[in-house]
Amino acid sequence: RAMKDKVSTTQAQRLQENLEETQKRTLGLEQSLQDKADSEQLRQLNAWMANAQQKVSTLEQSLLVKADLSRLELVDEMVSHLKSKLPSVEQGLQACDDRARQLEGSIAG
């Protein structure tokens, strides 16, 4: 029983660290994309976000079985915060993509 509690706490801490790193990366990518409009970066960000989302879902499922309620609530708050940031990132990406298309049109025109 004690070993299971330690595993749960360790997994919760890892998930928390991963989510904090994801938030930092999201903010960094948003800043980078505001400065550059690169379709390849957009594709990479989309792939990275899909991968991160899959990992978070997998970790959440394993934590549902093992984590204590207070840790799970903390993780839920962090995930909600991350999800709240996604629309602004998506808007930033769309704006960058639009600017890139305008630039390509200007160059081609």
Side-chain angles (χ1 to χ4, degrees):
R1 170 88 180 141
M3 183 60 169
K4 285 185 179 181
D5 290 340
K6 287 181 182 178
V7 170
S8 297
T9 301
T10 300
Q11 284 184 329
Q13 288 171 339
R14 283 188 199 144
L15 180 58
Q16 181 178 351
E17 290 167 1
N18 286 338
L19 287 173
E20 287 171 353
E21 180 63 26
T22 299
Q23 289 172 336
K24 288 176 188 174
R25 285 185 177 182
T26 299
L27 291 174
L29 286 170
E30 186 175 8
Q31 286 295 328
S32 175
L33 287 172
Q34 288 175 355
D35 296 337
K36 297 179 187 176
D38 185 339
S39 295
E40 182 58 30
Q41 282 183 324
L42 179 61
R43 284 190 288 276
Q44 288 175 356
L45 178 63
N46 286 337
W48 180 82
M49 289 301 290
N51 186 29
Q53 196 170 30
Q54 181 181 9
K55 287 180 181 180
V56 167
S57 293
T58 300
L59 287 171
E60 282 178 337
Q61 289 300 317
S62 72
L63 285 173
L64 284 173
V65 176
K66 298 178 182 177
D68 59 277
L69 185 58
S70 63
R71 283 283 188 187
L72 193 55
E73 288 172 350
L74 177 62
V75 168
D76 185 52
E77 288 174 17
M78 293 177 72
V79 169
S80 294
H81 179 73
L82 179 60
K83 286 181 180 179
S84 73
K85 294 284 186 182
L86 290 179
S88 66
V89 171
E90 289 172 347
Q91 288 174 349
L93 291 174
Q94 185 62 47
C96 287
D97 191 45
D98 292 344
R99 280 187 243 139
R101 289 175 200 251
Q102 288 174 349
L103 181 61
E104 287 173 357
S106 296
I107 292 171

XYZ file of all heavy atoms in Angstrom:
853
model
N 0.829 -1.203 0.000
C 0.000 0.000 0.000
C 0.869 1.261 0.000
O 0.621 2.174 -0.751
C -0.935 -0.070 1.226
C -1.681 1.203 1.499
C -2.963 1.238 0.735
N -3.653 2.488 1.034
C -4.291 3.161 0.143
N -4.371 2.722 -1.074
N -4.884 4.279 0.449
N 1.876 1.293 0.878
C 2.748 2.474 0.954
C 3.485 2.684 -0.365
O 3.670 3.812 -0.812
C 3.743 2.322 2.099
N 3.892 1.596 -1.011
C 4.595 1.710 -2.296
C 3.666 2.289 -3.355
O 4.071 3.139 -4.149
C 5.122 0.330 -2.719
C 5.922 0.362 -3.973
S 7.350 1.434 -3.743
C 8.270 1.055 -5.179
N 2.402 1.876 -3.357
C 1.446 2.411 -4.317
C 1.242 3.901 -4.111
O 1.128 4.659 -5.054
C 0.109 1.676 -4.232
C 0.140 0.298 -4.845
C -1.233 -0.329 -4.829
C -1.184 -1.706 -5.466
N -2.485 -2.343 -5.507
N 1.182 4.344 -2.848
C 1.039 5.774 -2.553
C 2.243 6.552 -3.054
O 2.104 7.643 -3.586
C 0.853 6.007 -1.054
C -0.510 5.517 -0.562
O -1.411 5.360 -1.418
O -0.657 5.293 0.643
N 3.441 5.989 -2.879
C 4.646 6.662 -3.364
C 4.647 6.751 -4.880
O 5.008 7.762 -5.444
C 5.904 5.933 -2.870
C 6.176 6.132 -1.406
C 7.434 5.424 -0.977
C 7.655 5.605 0.515
N 8.824 4.898 0.981
N 4.241 5.681 -5.531
C 4.169 5.696 -6.992
C 3.169 6.753 -7.443
O 3.429 7.531 -8.349
C 3.798 4.300 -7.552
C 3.485 4.374 -9.032
C 4.924 3.314 -7.287
N 2.044 6.838 -6.767
C 1.026 7.825 -7.127
C 1.556 9.236 -6.959
O 1.369 10.084 -7.814
C -0.222 7.644 -6.254
O -0.798 6.391 -6.490
N 2.221 9.484 -5.852
C 2.783 10.811 -5.602
C 3.848 11.136 -6.633
O 3.887 12.248 -7.164
C 3.370 10.870 -4.181
O 2.332 10.591 -3.247
C 3.959 12.226 -3.882
N 4.696 10.170 -6.936
C 5.750 10.382 -7.927
C 5.145 10.673 -9.294
O 5.568 11.606 -9.981
C 6.661 9.141 -8.015
O 7.244 8.920 -6.728
C 7.760 9.334 -9.040
N 4.154 9.913 -9.671
C 3.504 10.157 -10.965
C 2.813 11.505 -10.987
O 2.864 12.220 -11.986
C 2.511 9.045 -11.295
C 3.173 7.768 -11.747
C 2.163 6.720 -12.156
O 1.064 6.667 -11.615
N 2.532 5.886 -13.094
N 2.192 11.888 -9.901
C 1.530 13.184 -9.844
C 2.556 14.301 -9.967
O 2.324 15.291 -10.665
C 0.743 13.327 -8.538
N 3.695 14.144 -9.317
C 4.743 15.159 -9.408
C 5.273 15.250 -10.832
O 5.509 16.339 -11.345
C 5.889 14.845 -8.440
C 5.506 15.071 -6.993
C 6.558 14.553 -6.021
O 7.379 13.714 -6.357
N 6.493 15.060 -4.798
N 5.476 14.100 -11.469
C 5.952 14.104 -12.860
C 4.944 14.786 -13.774
O 5.317 15.560 -14.652
C 6.197 12.672 -13.351
C 7.466 12.084 -12.842
C 7.746 10.763 -13.522
N 8.697 10.006 -12.743
C 8.676 8.706 -12.603
N 7.761 7.973 -13.206
N 9.592 8.090 -11.881
N 3.676 14.481 -13.580
C 2.648 15.104 -14.409
C 2.631 16.608 -14.187
O 2.561 17.383 -15.135
C 1.271 14.509 -14.100
C 0.112 15.088 -14.906
C 0.344 14.914 -16.403
C -1.181 14.424 -14.490
N 2.752 17.011 -12.926
C 2.779 18.439 -12.627
C 3.975 19.103 -13.303
O 3.846 20.157 -13.918
C 2.845 18.654 -11.108
C 2.859 20.114 -10.714
C 2.887 20.299 -9.204
O 2.733 19.358 -8.450
N 3.080 21.522 -8.790
N 5.148 18.477 -13.219
C 6.342 19.031 -13.856
C 6.173 19.085 -15.371
O 6.543 20.072 -16.009
C 7.567 18.194 -13.487
C 7.982 18.348 -12.032
C 8.987 17.291 -11.582
O 9.392 16.443 -12.401
O 9.352 17.314 -10.391
N 5.607 18.021 -15.936
C 5.375 18.000 -17.387
C 4.409 19.094 -17.814
O 4.611 19.748 -18.836
C 4.844 16.630 -17.833
C 5.904 15.562 -17.841
O 7.090 15.854 -17.913
N 5.496 14.316 -17.746
N 3.372 19.302 -17.041
C 2.398 20.336 -17.388
C 3.008 21.727 -17.256
O 2.755 22.609 -18.083
C 1.158 20.222 -16.517
C 0.254 19.042 -16.857
C -0.850 18.918 -15.816
C -0.330 19.167 -18.238
N 3.827 21.932 -16.232
C 4.491 23.231 -16.083
C 5.422 23.475 -17.264
O 5.471 24.584 -17.804
C 5.261 23.292 -14.761
C 4.349 23.411 -13.555
C 5.078 23.247 -12.229
O 6.283 22.911 -12.222
O 4.432 23.460 -11.184
N 6.153 22.448 -17.672
C 7.045 22.580 -18.831
C 6.228 22.848 -20.092
O 6.614 23.668 -20.933
C 7.879 21.306 -19.005
C 8.837 21.346 -20.167
C 9.910 22.418 -20.033
O 10.252 22.817 -18.903
O 10.412 22.865 -21.077
N 5.076 22.187 -20.214
C 4.199 22.411 -21.363
C 3.722 23.852 -21.398
O 3.697 24.489 -22.456
C 2.990 21.453 -21.311
O 3.480 20.110 -21.367
C 2.051 21.689 -22.468
N 3.355 24.391 -20.240
C 2.918 25.781 -20.180
C 4.042 26.720 -20.597
O 3.818 27.668 -21.359
C 2.445 26.136 -18.769
C 1.131 25.484 -18.413
C 0.756 25.687 -16.959
O 1.601 25.913 -16.114
N -0.522 25.586 -16.669
N 5.256 26.460 -20.134
C 6.394 27.302 -20.507
C 6.637 27.228 -22.012
O 6.877 28.233 -22.662
C 7.655 26.857 -19.756
C 7.635 27.193 -18.287
C 8.868 26.650 -17.594
C 8.780 26.808 -16.096
N 9.900 26.154 -15.412
N 6.589 26.010 -22.544
C 6.806 25.840 -23.988
C 5.715 26.537 -24.791
O 5.981 27.145 -25.821
C 6.852 24.365 -24.358
C 8.126 23.686 -23.965
C 8.119 22.272 -24.468
N 9.360 21.595 -24.160
C 9.625 20.362 -24.527
N 8.729 19.661 -25.201
N 10.778 19.810 -24.210
N 4.476 26.412 -24.320
C 3.361 27.044 -25.021
C 3.563 28.549 -25.101
O 3.396 29.161 -26.151
C 2.028 26.718 -24.325
O 1.835 25.300 -24.337
C 0.869 27.384 -25.025
N 3.938 29.144 -23.971
C 4.171 30.585 -23.961
C 5.347 30.942 -24.872
O 5.293 31.924 -25.618
C 4.442 31.064 -22.534
C 3.250 31.019 -21.595
C 3.683 31.380 -20.181
C 2.144 31.933 -22.066
N 6.407 30.144 -24.831
C 7.567 30.391 -25.688
C 7.225 30.257 -27.159
O 7.657 31.080 -27.980
N 6.462 29.246 -27.491
C 6.053 29.057 -28.885
C 5.145 30.186 -29.351
O 5.253 30.660 -30.481
C 5.353 27.711 -29.054
C 6.266 26.493 -29.019
C 5.439 25.216 -28.948
C 7.193 26.475 -30.207
N 4.271 30.621 -28.483
C 3.376 31.720 -28.838
C 4.196 32.977 -29.148
O 3.950 33.661 -30.141
C 2.393 31.990 -27.704
C 1.343 33.007 -28.030
C 0.303 33.162 -26.926
O 0.474 32.587 -25.835
O -0.671 33.872 -27.160
N 5.177 33.271 -28.305
C 6.035 34.430 -28.537
C 6.808 34.267 -29.845
O 6.913 35.195 -30.641
C 7.032 34.613 -27.375
C 6.395 35.147 -26.125
C 5.866 36.554 -26.320
O 6.405 37.342 -27.066
N 4.771 36.857 -25.653
N 7.361 33.095 -30.049
C 8.139 32.832 -31.258
C 7.282 32.985 -32.508
O 7.718 33.558 -33.508
C 8.725 31.421 -31.188
O 9.380 31.101 -32.383
N 6.064 32.481 -32.436
C 5.182 32.541 -33.602
C 4.674 33.953 -33.867
O 4.330 34.290 -34.994
C 4.016 31.575 -33.444
C 4.421 30.118 -33.621
C 3.265 29.211 -33.256
C 4.879 29.844 -35.037
N 4.636 34.767 -32.844
C 4.264 36.155 -33.073
C 5.376 36.880 -33.826
O 5.125 37.827 -34.554
C 3.966 36.860 -31.748
C 2.655 36.398 -31.146
C 2.394 36.999 -29.781
O 3.226 37.699 -29.228
N 1.240 36.714 -29.225
N 6.606 36.439 -33.635
C 7.743 37.054 -34.305
C 7.979 36.474 -35.698
O 8.486 37.145 -36.580
C 9.020 36.873 -33.473
C 8.929 37.586 -32.135
O 8.125 38.542 -32.027
O 9.641 37.182 -31.205
N 7.621 35.209 -35.889
C 7.870 34.545 -37.170
C 6.588 33.896 -37.665
O 5.832 33.334 -36.892
C 8.905 33.424 -36.999
C 10.256 33.876 -36.564
C 11.144 32.676 -36.416
C 12.474 33.036 -35.817
N 13.314 31.881 -35.587
N 6.392 33.944 -38.930
C 5.237 33.275 -39.528
C 5.776 32.171 -40.425
O 6.111 32.392 -41.580
C 4.396 34.263 -40.322
N 5.891 30.987 -39.879
C 6.487 29.884 -40.610
C 5.539 28.692 -40.569
O 5.223 28.181 -39.505
C 7.836 29.528 -39.969
C 8.602 28.473 -40.736
O 7.988 27.715 -41.516
O 9.823 28.404 -40.562
N 5.099 28.251 -41.707
C 4.148 27.142 -41.773
C 4.730 25.870 -41.169
O 4.000 25.080 -40.565
C 3.732 26.873 -43.217
O 3.030 27.974 -43.730
N 6.024 25.670 -41.309
C 6.656 24.480 -40.729
C 6.559 24.521 -39.206
O 6.285 23.509 -38.576
C 8.122 24.369 -41.162
C 8.822 23.122 -40.637
C 8.161 21.813 -41.037
O 7.543 21.740 -42.121
O 8.265 20.851 -40.262
N 6.750 25.685 -38.615
C 6.609 25.813 -37.166
C 5.177 25.507 -36.756
O 4.942 24.896 -35.714
C 6.992 27.214 -36.692
C 8.477 27.439 -36.606
C 8.785 28.819 -36.061
O 8.080 29.780 -36.354
N 9.844 28.921 -35.292
N 4.238 25.936 -37.551
C 2.833 25.669 -37.271
C 2.566 24.163 -37.265
O 1.935 23.641 -36.346
C 1.943 26.366 -38.304
C 0.443 26.175 -38.171
C -0.045 26.715 -36.833
C -0.269 26.885 -39.307
N 3.089 23.467 -38.254
C 2.918 22.009 -38.300
C 3.598 21.341 -37.105
O 3.054 20.422 -36.502
C 3.460 21.451 -39.611
C 2.541 21.697 -40.795
C 3.009 20.924 -42.025
N 4.219 21.498 -42.599
C 4.249 22.513 -43.449
N 3.120 23.063 -43.838
N 5.385 22.962 -43.927
N 4.800 21.798 -36.773
C 5.518 21.222 -35.636
C 4.770 21.463 -34.335
O 4.679 20.572 -33.492
C 6.932 21.808 -35.545
C 7.856 21.308 -36.626
C 9.220 21.995 -36.574
O 9.442 22.898 -35.778
N 10.126 21.558 -37.423
N 4.228 22.662 -34.177
C 3.483 22.966 -32.958
C 2.237 22.091 -32.862
O 1.931 21.549 -31.806
C 3.092 24.440 -32.904
C 2.270 24.835 -31.678
C 3.050 24.623 -30.389
C 1.814 26.265 -31.785
N 1.532 21.942 -33.965
C 0.333 21.097 -33.955
C 0.675 19.654 -33.593
O -0.021 19.023 -32.801
C -0.377 21.150 -35.308
C -1.111 22.457 -35.518
O -1.464 23.141 -34.570
N -1.330 22.813 -36.762
N 1.765 19.135 -34.154
C 2.189 17.765 -33.846
C 2.602 17.658 -32.380
O 2.252 16.692 -31.685
C 3.343 17.352 -34.762
N 3.336 18.662 -31.911
C 3.788 18.652 -30.521
C 2.610 18.714 -29.564
O 2.561 17.995 -28.566
C 4.745 19.829 -30.289
C 5.252 19.891 -28.894
C 6.277 19.177 -28.355
C 4.736 20.697 -27.845
N 6.436 19.506 -27.043
C 5.489 20.433 -26.693
C 3.702 21.622 -27.769
C 5.254 21.058 -25.491
C 3.464 22.244 -26.556
C 4.237 21.961 -25.439
N 1.637 19.576 -29.867
C 0.467 19.714 -28.999
C -0.353 18.417 -28.978
O -0.840 18.010 -27.925
C -0.406 20.887 -29.443
C 0.198 22.242 -29.181
S 0.556 22.570 -27.456
C -1.090 22.735 -26.806
N -0.500 17.775 -30.117
C -1.241 16.508 -30.169
C -0.522 15.451 -29.332
O -1.158 14.700 -28.582
C -1.396 16.050 -31.619
N 0.790 15.405 -29.440
C 1.583 14.453 -28.670
C 1.467 14.753 -27.177
O 1.269 13.844 -26.368
C 3.036 14.506 -29.126
C 3.888 13.448 -28.466
O 3.405 12.389 -28.101
N 5.161 13.745 -28.306
N 1.579 16.022 -26.798
C 1.486 16.409 -25.389
C 0.103 16.068 -24.838
O -0.027 15.566 -23.725
C 1.784 17.892 -25.222
N -0.922 16.334 -25.635
C -2.287 16.056 -25.204
C -2.476 14.552 -24.969
O -3.102 14.145 -23.998
C -3.251 16.559 -26.262
C -4.665 16.697 -25.804
C -5.507 17.441 -26.838
O -5.242 17.371 -28.035
N -6.516 18.138 -26.387
N -1.894 13.747 -25.845
C -2.002 12.293 -25.694
C -1.282 11.840 -24.420
O -1.801 11.012 -23.664
C -1.412 11.594 -26.915
C -1.505 10.080 -26.837
C -0.889 9.423 -28.053
O -0.262 10.067 -28.870
N -1.053 8.122 -28.152
N -0.098 12.395 -24.166
C 0.649 12.024 -22.958
C -0.099 12.429 -21.698
O -0.144 11.673 -20.731
C 2.038 12.660 -22.977
C 2.979 12.016 -23.962
C 4.333 12.679 -23.932
C 5.266 12.040 -24.940
N 6.585 12.668 -24.934
N -0.669 13.625 -21.703
C -1.427 14.087 -20.537
C -2.623 13.167 -20.305
O -2.894 12.777 -19.170
C -1.877 15.551 -20.715
C -2.914 15.934 -19.670
C -0.680 16.481 -20.632
N -3.311 12.787 -21.364
C -4.466 11.897 -21.220
C -4.049 10.548 -20.640
O -4.724 10.019 -19.752
C -5.143 11.683 -22.570
O -5.721 12.866 -23.020
N -2.937 10.018 -21.130
C -2.439 8.739 -20.625
C -2.071 8.843 -19.148
O -2.435 7.975 -18.343
C -1.210 8.289 -21.442
O -1.594 8.141 -22.801
C -0.663 6.974 -20.931
N -1.382 9.918 -18.786
C -1.005 10.102 -17.387
C -2.231 10.324 -16.499
O -2.294 9.804 -15.380
C -0.038 11.279 -17.250
C 1.374 11.022 -17.750
C 2.165 12.322 -17.772
C 2.071 9.992 -16.888
N -3.193 11.072 -16.992
C -4.412 11.289 -16.214
C -5.120 9.966 -15.936
O -5.592 9.733 -14.828
C -5.362 12.231 -16.946
C -4.980 13.679 -16.857
C -5.923 14.579 -17.644
O -6.597 14.110 -18.579
O -5.979 15.769 -17.292
N -5.173 9.105 -16.935
C -5.831 7.814 -16.752
C -5.120 6.981 -15.692
O -5.773 6.358 -14.854
C -5.888 7.040 -18.084
C -6.859 7.616 -19.079
C -8.276 7.626 -18.557
O -8.751 6.685 -17.952
N -8.967 8.731 -18.766
N -3.794 6.963 -15.717
C -3.078 6.182 -14.710
C -3.203 6.813 -13.328
O -3.274 6.117 -12.323
C -1.603 6.011 -15.090
O -0.896 7.215 -14.930
N -3.289 8.143 -13.276
C -3.419 8.818 -11.988
C -4.810 8.659 -11.392
O -4.968 8.710 -10.172
C -3.082 10.299 -12.123
C -1.602 10.593 -12.270
C -1.396 12.073 -12.564
C -0.832 10.186 -11.038
N -5.807 8.489 -12.229
C -7.157 8.290 -11.704
C -7.197 7.080 -10.771
O -7.924 7.070 -9.790
C -8.163 8.105 -12.841
C -8.546 9.373 -13.586
C -9.418 9.036 -14.788
C -9.264 10.338 -12.660
N -6.383 6.102 -11.077
C -6.355 4.894 -10.275
C -5.497 5.092 -9.027
O -5.834 4.606 -7.953
C -5.797 3.715 -11.114
C -5.654 2.469 -10.283
C -6.707 3.463 -12.305
N -4.414 5.851 -9.143
C -3.412 5.877 -8.078
C -3.316 7.166 -7.271
O -2.871 7.145 -6.135
C -2.038 5.587 -8.686
C -1.951 4.221 -9.320
C -0.613 4.000 -9.953
C -0.559 2.646 -10.622
N 0.693 2.437 -11.310
N -3.655 8.290 -7.825
C -3.381 9.567 -7.155
C -4.416 9.885 -6.092
O -5.573 9.522 -6.205
C -3.354 10.690 -8.172
N -3.989 10.603 -5.085
C -4.937 11.059 -4.086
C -5.700 12.257 -4.647
O -5.269 12.919 -5.584
C -4.236 11.424 -2.774
C -3.204 12.517 -2.967
O -2.067 12.194 -3.372
O -3.550 13.684 -2.737
N -6.843 12.560 -4.056
C -7.767 13.555 -4.600
C -7.152 14.945 -4.695
O -7.325 15.640 -5.692
C -9.040 13.591 -3.763
C -10.150 14.502 -4.263
C -10.556 14.119 -5.680
C -11.340 14.441 -3.332
N -6.393 15.372 -3.690
C -5.840 16.728 -3.728
C -4.845 16.888 -4.875
O -4.819 17.931 -5.535
C -5.167 17.076 -2.398
O -4.075 16.217 -2.149
N -4.034 15.869 -5.123
C -3.093 15.928 -6.248
C -3.848 15.961 -7.567
O -3.499 16.687 -8.483
C -2.145 14.721 -6.245
C -1.061 14.804 -5.251
C -0.018 15.731 -5.762
N 1.128 15.665 -4.894
C 2.151 16.443 -4.993
N 2.183 17.373 -5.906
N 3.159 16.332 -4.187
N -4.865 15.166 -7.664
C -5.648 15.104 -8.889
C -6.339 16.441 -9.156
O -6.396 16.900 -10.294
C -6.676 13.976 -8.802
C -7.371 13.586 -10.097
C -6.368 13.227 -11.184
C -8.298 12.422 -9.859
N -6.821 17.090 -8.114
C -7.435 18.403 -8.286
C -6.421 19.423 -8.772
O -6.715 20.256 -9.627
C -8.073 18.862 -6.974
C -9.334 18.095 -6.623
C -9.861 18.410 -5.235
O -9.164 19.081 -4.448
O -10.981 17.965 -4.941
N -5.200 19.353 -8.237
C -4.136 20.253 -8.676
C -3.827 20.027 -10.151
O -3.703 20.973 -10.930
C -2.875 20.051 -7.834
C -1.660 20.864 -8.227
C -1.941 22.359 -8.082
C -0.468 20.463 -7.377
N -3.722 18.771 -10.541
C -3.461 18.438 -11.940
C -4.603 18.948 -12.815
O -4.374 19.530 -13.873
C -3.278 16.907 -12.110
C -3.300 16.511 -13.576
C -1.981 16.464 -11.448
N -5.830 18.770 -12.360
C -6.988 19.229 -13.120
C -6.940 20.741 -13.319
O -7.224 21.247 -14.414
C -8.279 18.822 -12.408
C -9.502 19.178 -13.218
O -9.569 18.797 -14.410
O -10.393 19.856 -12.669
N -6.562 21.485 -12.282
C -6.442 22.933 -12.399
C -5.375 23.312 -13.421
O -5.564 24.227 -14.226
C -6.099 23.552 -11.040
C -7.234 23.536 -10.056
C -6.813 24.025 -8.681
O -5.761 24.672 -8.557
O -7.554 23.742 -7.725
N -4.252 22.599 -13.391
C -3.170 22.905 -14.322
C -3.592 22.611 -15.758
O -3.309 23.382 -16.672
C -1.915 22.124 -13.951
C -1.318 22.579 -12.631
S 0.109 21.612 -12.162
C 1.282 22.231 -13.353
N -4.266 21.486 -15.954
C -4.733 21.133 -17.291
C -5.759 22.157 -17.773
O -5.718 22.600 -18.924
C -5.313 19.699 -17.310
C -6.034 19.418 -18.615
C -4.197 18.676 -17.084
N -6.641 22.577 -16.889
C -7.636 23.595 -17.262
C -6.952 24.893 -17.656
O -7.350 25.549 -18.625
C -8.597 23.842 -16.101
O -9.363 22.701 -15.855
N -5.926 25.263 -16.906
C -5.176 26.483 -17.226
C -4.520 26.354 -18.600
O -4.574 27.288 -19.415
C -4.119 26.751 -16.157
C -3.301 27.966 -16.420
N -3.803 29.243 -16.274
C -2.020 28.103 -16.844
C -2.860 30.113 -16.590
N -1.778 29.444 -16.939
N -3.923 25.205 -18.854
C -3.291 24.971 -20.151
C -4.323 25.041 -21.272
O -4.094 25.681 -22.294
C -2.587 23.612 -20.161
C -1.890 23.209 -21.444
C -0.798 24.212 -21.803
C -1.301 21.823 -21.317
N -5.460 24.423 -21.061
C -6.516 24.453 -22.071
C -7.008 25.876 -22.309
O -7.362 26.233 -23.427
C -7.671 23.540 -21.673
C -7.361 22.076 -21.832
C -8.546 21.219 -21.445
C -8.236 19.746 -21.593
N -9.365 18.908 -21.193
N -7.016 26.683 -21.268
C -7.468 28.070 -21.435
C -6.489 28.871 -22.288
O -6.862 29.862 -22.906
C -7.672 28.742 -20.083
O -6.433 29.043 -19.464
N -5.229 28.455 -22.323
C -4.217 29.154 -23.119
C -4.286 28.759 -24.602
O -3.849 29.516 -25.465
C -2.807 28.841 -22.602
C -2.514 29.356 -21.233
C -2.281 30.819 -21.289
C -1.833 31.342 -19.942
N -1.649 32.756 -19.946
N -4.809 27.586 -24.888
C -4.797 27.079 -26.259
C -5.509 27.987 -27.266
O -4.999 28.193 -28.364
C -5.352 25.662 -26.318
C -4.451 24.600 -25.688
C -5.118 23.233 -25.775
C -3.086 24.569 -26.314
N -6.666 28.568 -26.953
C -7.308 29.439 -27.945
C -6.431 30.615 -28.356
O -6.365 30.952 -29.541
C -8.582 29.915 -27.245
C -8.900 28.838 -26.267
C -7.554 28.349 -25.796
N -5.725 31.226 -27.397
C -4.869 32.355 -27.772
C -3.682 31.885 -28.599
O -3.244 32.590 -29.511
C -4.404 33.131 -26.533
O -3.554 32.336 -25.737
N -3.177 30.687 -28.307
C -2.096 30.138 -29.120
C -2.594 29.865 -30.538
O -1.936 30.205 -31.516
C -1.528 28.847 -28.489
C -0.562 28.155 -29.435
C -0.831 29.163 -27.168
N -3.789 29.279 -30.623
C -4.363 28.997 -31.935
C -4.589 30.277 -32.719
O -4.325 30.344 -33.923
C -5.663 28.219 -31.788
C -5.460 26.793 -31.324
C -6.763 26.082 -31.002
O -7.825 26.746 -30.891
O -6.724 24.858 -30.853
N -5.070 31.330 -32.046
C -5.281 32.614 -32.711
C -3.950 33.186 -33.183
O -3.856 33.720 -34.292
C -5.971 33.604 -31.769
C -7.412 33.274 -31.519
C -8.035 34.186 -30.454
O -7.343 34.919 -29.770
N -9.348 34.106 -30.322
N -2.939 33.071 -32.339
C -1.611 33.546 -32.721
C -1.072 32.789 -33.919
O -0.482 33.376 -34.834
N -1.284 31.485 -33.918
C -0.834 30.661 -35.043
C -1.569 31.045 -36.322
O -0.967 31.147 -37.392
C -1.056 29.177 -34.739
C -0.179 28.584 -33.651
C -0.621 27.161 -33.356
C 1.270 28.614 -34.061
N -2.869 31.253 -36.208
C -3.654 31.624 -37.382
C -3.204 32.973 -37.911
O -3.054 33.161 -39.127
C -5.154 31.660 -37.046
C -6.022 31.909 -38.252
C -5.895 30.825 -39.306
O -5.934 29.650 -38.989
N -5.720 31.215 -40.548
N -2.961 33.917 -37.019
C -2.499 35.243 -37.434
C -1.137 35.138 -38.125
O -0.902 35.788 -39.152
C -2.417 36.186 -36.234
N -0.256 34.317 -37.578
C 1.061 34.129 -38.196
C 0.934 33.476 -39.567
O 1.629 33.866 -40.512
C 1.962 33.272 -37.294
S 2.530 34.142 -35.835
N 0.056 32.494 -39.649
C -0.160 31.825 -40.924
C -0.716 32.811 -41.951
O -0.284 32.838 -43.105
C -1.111 30.638 -40.743
C -1.171 29.764 -41.965
O -0.102 29.445 -42.538
O -2.295 29.389 -42.374
N -1.665 33.651 -41.527
C -2.228 34.670 -42.417
C -1.149 35.643 -42.883
O -1.080 35.986 -44.065
C -3.350 35.445 -41.720
C -4.576 34.590 -41.449
O -4.703 33.496 -42.052
O -5.418 35.019 -40.619
N -0.287 36.065 -41.937
C 0.797 36.983 -42.306
C 1.765 36.323 -43.282
O 2.252 36.969 -44.212
C 1.542 37.458 -41.054
C 0.800 38.557 -40.334
C 1.626 39.120 -39.201
N 0.880 38.820 -37.990
C 1.379 38.414 -36.849
N 2.667 38.291 -36.712
N 0.609 38.153 -35.826
N 2.029 35.045 -43.069
C 2.937 34.329 -43.969
C 2.352 34.262 -45.377
O 3.060 34.458 -46.370
C 3.213 32.922 -43.440
N 1.062 33.997 -45.454
C 0.403 33.945 -46.770
C 0.433 35.317 -47.451
O 0.639 35.420 -48.654
C -1.025 33.451 -46.627
C -1.097 31.982 -46.273
C -2.542 31.576 -46.019
N -2.587 30.354 -45.252
C -2.969 29.193 -45.749
N -3.354 29.100 -47.000
N -2.995 28.124 -45.000
N 0.203 36.361 -46.679
C 0.258 37.721 -47.237
C 1.670 38.026 -47.751
O 1.827 38.593 -48.827
C -0.141 38.755 -46.182
C -1.601 38.750 -45.841
C -1.935 39.675 -44.691
O -1.045 40.175 -44.007
N -3.223 39.909 -44.471
N 2.664 37.632 -46.972
C 4.041 37.858 -47.380
C 4.363 37.076 -48.651
O 4.963 37.623 -49.587
C 5.001 37.461 -46.252
C 6.482 37.660 -46.539
C 6.789 39.127 -46.813
C 7.303 37.150 -45.349
N 3.925 35.818 -48.695
C 4.163 35.012 -49.889
C 3.466 35.646 -51.092
O 4.010 35.684 -52.200
C 3.632 33.587 -49.672
C 4.483 32.771 -48.740
C 3.864 31.433 -48.404
O 2.724 31.133 -48.849
O 4.506 30.655 -47.672
N 2.239 36.168 -50.878
C 1.512 36.823 -51.972
C 2.211 38.070 -52.444
O 2.278 38.360 -53.643
N 2.747 38.824 -51.505
C 3.479 40.049 -51.867
C 4.733 39.725 -52.658
O 5.059 40.405 -53.630
C 3.867 40.812 -50.607
O 2.731 41.255 -49.919
N 5.415 38.693 -52.240
C 6.646 38.303 -52.927
C 6.332 37.750 -54.313
O 6.996 38.088 -55.295
C 7.427 37.249 -52.098
C 7.949 37.903 -50.809
C 8.570 36.671 -52.894
C 8.538 36.947 -49.820
N 5.296 36.931 -54.404
C 4.922 36.324 -55.681
C 4.287 37.356 -56.618
O 4.390 37.241 -57.827
C 3.956 35.165 -55.453
N 3.615 38.344 -56.015
C 2.849 39.330 -56.793
C 3.734 40.234 -57.550
O 3.677 40.613 -58.642
